Amino acid sequence: MAPKKNDPYASLRFPEFNYYLVIRFAIVFALAMQFAIIEWKVYEISKDPFSLGLIGLSEVIPAVLLAPFAGHLVDKREKRGMLMKCIIAYVFISSGLFLLTWDRAVAGIPKEWVLNLIYVMVFLGGIIRAFTSPANFTLLSLLVPRELYANASTWSSSAWQIGGVLGPALGGLFIHWFGVHWSMLIVVFMLFPPLFSIIKIAPKPVYYQAKGEGFLDGLTKGMRFVWKTKVVLNAMALDMFAVLFGGAVAMLPAFATDVLHVGSFGYGLLRSAPAVGALVTMFILAHRPLVYKPGIKLLAAVFGFGLTIILFGLSKNFYLSIFALLISGSLDGISVIIRQTILQLKTPDDMRGRVASVSSMFVGSSNELGAFESGFMARAMGLVPSVVFGGCVTLGVVITTYVISPAMRKLDLKA
């Protein structure tokens, strides 16, 4: 049966896509929770904001360096099987981090060694992530008809956004309730639902056709496509710089401890605030797709995101800080959904993995680079000034994009 026009739940009527949403949400939820727990543990050991930035750097280095190769390989291989192998690898890595947060397991090991071993496990996670992102992105287009890409991207991006902010939120609360060690065990168990769900999805065809192109040409084809497609390039660059310089979330352990003085429970509430905003965004955009002047709305959302980061940085009031983060989550959700829709609609089937890898290099990795930048600037300028500075840079990036990118201003997803 053909999907009804303007049906906000059209893509949800495909059973395999529902399993995909479970995978999308649960992986991001588990890994985001893991990141928040490890952030808390690392800061507990080091008491240095810069060490929080090193967590992001440990993950982003392999993710960026391997991205071109990973995208090329994903385009050539069956996506469902590739994603299954990534999930299994994450189970082993999270189990390793579970042992490193177990006092009995690391008894007698110097704290510096424990810290370094945590960075090693995060580095290995970055290797797996290089393959997970393009496999995830490519699989979506094989589960629903092309006319539902925008609708499916809305639900997929919402699942990603909610998992990405709800995971750390519950991670903070679980630390308060159960401690770091048992919270990491919950992360391990959260990786089993996506493993069971991927089994429910049938293997998919591979559209890759070499057509005589060399290995190097295959690796760089995605980069050339993004460079020539200015709307895609501008959307990636806008989101990348916004997250890179507006990465205040990475400093939440320090804000909760040293600025707002609310402890692990307050840390959990701060982490949960963007999740509420993301939930509201999901339901609104599922019923009211952003097809009218989406480029302008993307610019406005990122501009508002920068303002909320400045507000959060200046706030000394716990409730005002929660409000700023709530609005930031809602606005970030809008930008993510628009960008993912652009990518799905503009990318040819035979190179989705490579384009997704470029997106991972520019956008996905900006969270970790933003964490490193925030940690570095916090050490150089102080915690609060560094966050305010990042928000101001985000505003500057939006203004610059508006001026130099007429394609973004005139973007029409209906066309």
Side-chain angles (χ1 to χ4, degrees), residues 367-402:
N367 288 290
E368 288 71 32
L369 283 176
F372 177 75
E373 181 272 340
S374 297
F376 178 81
M377 295 303 292
R379 173 178 284 186
M381 302 174 60
L383 186 61
V384 171
S386 67
V387 172
V388 174
F389 171 77
C392 291
V393 172
T394 300
L395 300 183
V397 169
V398 175
I399 294 172
T400 302
T401 304
Y402 179 85

Side-chain angles (χ1 to χ4, degrees), residues 293-347:
K293 294 187 176 180
I296 295 296
K297 291 176 181 176
L298 175 60
L299 292 167
V302 179
F303 190 86
F305 176 80
L307 291 177
T308 61
I309 295 303
I310 295 173
L311 177 61
F312 172 78
L314 295 174
S315 171
K316 299 296 187 293
N317 182 278
F318 178 58
Y319 299 103
L320 180 60
S321 298
I322 288 179
F323 173 77
L325 291 175
L326 184 149
I327 301 301
S328 74
S330 178
L331 294 171
D332 188 44
I334 293 173
S335 67
V336 168
I337 289 171
I338 294 177
R339 176 171 53 81
Q340 286 297 315
T341 303
I342 291 171
L343 287 177
Q344 288 290 352
L345 292 175
K346 297 289 185 179
T347 305

Side-chain angles (χ1 to χ4, degrees), residues 4-287:
K4 296 180 180 179
K5 188 177 181 181
N6 299 325
D7 180 3
Y9 307 104
S11 55
L12 300 182
R13 307 190 191 284
F14 292 81
E16 286 191 331
F17 181 70
N18 291 321
Y19 287 119
Y20 173 84
L21 288 183
V22 173
I23 297 167
R24 182 80 159 142
F25 170 80
I27 290 179
V28 176
F29 178 85
L31 297 182
M33 179 188 291
Q34 176 176 284
F35 201 83
I37 294 170
I38 294 305
E39 278 182 333
W40 186 266
K41 183 65 175 180
V42 166
Y43 192 72
E44 186 179 63
I45 294 173
S46 67
K47 299 298 181 183
D48 184 2
F50 185 67
S51 65
L52 298 174
L54 290 178
I55 302 174
L57 189 65
S58 298
E59 184 176 16
V60 78
I61 288 176
V64 170
L65 292 180
L66 289 175
F69 172 76
H72 182 64
L73 187 63
V74 167
D75 276 335
K76 295 175 66 175
R77 300 291 177 86
E78 198 277 312
K79 283 66 179 172
R80 176 255 200 186
M82 177 72 72
L83 188 56
M84 182 184 295
K85 294 174 183 176
C86 292
I87 297 171
I88 293 173
Y90 275 132
V91 171
F92 283 101
I93 291 172
S94 297
S95 298
L97 288 170
F98 164 70
L99 293 175
L100 288 173
T101 58
W102 190 5
D103 290 338
R104 291 178 61 182
V106 298
I109 301 178
K111 290 185 176 181
E112 292 76 13
W113 277 95
V114 175
L115 203 60
N116 290 332
L117 287 172
I118 289 175
Y119 290 143
V120 170
M121 298 305 294
V122 173
F123 183 90
L124 294 176
I127 295 176
I128 304 305
R129 175 183 150 180
F131 295 88
T132 305
S133 181
N136 238 322
F137 178 82
T138 308
L139 185 59
L140 182 150
S141 64
L142 302 174
L143 301 177
V144 297
R146 184 176 181 83
E147 61 268 21
L148 295 182
Y149 281 180
N151 180 261
S153 294
T154 299
W155 287 106
S156 173
S157 299
S158 298
W160 179 88
Q161 180 73 10
I162 295 169
V165 290
L166 193 58
L170 290 180
L173 295 176
F174 288 161
I175 291 171
H176 179 76
W177 293 331
F178 310 121
V180 170
H181 174 54
W182 297 114
S183 299
M184 272 304 307
L185 184 60
I186 295 174
V187 171
V188 176
F189 282 120
M190 277 301 302
L191 288 169
F192 284 96
L195 193 57
F196 295 139
S197 296
I198 195 71
I199 296 174
K200 297 292 186 178
I201 297 177
K204 300 302 174 186
V206 178
Y207 291 105
Y208 180 83
Q209 296 179 357
K211 298 179 182 179
E213 68 182 11
F215 178 71
L216 184 60
D217 288 338
L219 288 179
T220 59
K221 190 174 181 179
M223 296 182 184
R224 296 197 301 271
F225 171 81
V226 171
W227 180 256
K228 293 178 181 178
T229 312
K230 296 305 180 185
V231 170
V232 174
L233 176 65
N234 291 333
M236 285 186 182
L238 181 66
D239 215 354
M240 179 188 73
F241 286 111
V243 176
L244 178 64
F245 292 104
V249 173
M251 296 294 105
L252 282 184
F255 269 90
T257 303
D258 302 329
V259 178
L260 301 173
H261 308 289
V262 291
S264 60
F265 183 74
Y267 171 62
L269 293 179
L270 290 170
R271 278 287 195 176
S272 67
V276 177
L279 280 168
V280 173
T281 296
M282 181 192 73
F283 288 111
I284 292 177
L285 297 188
H287 292 81

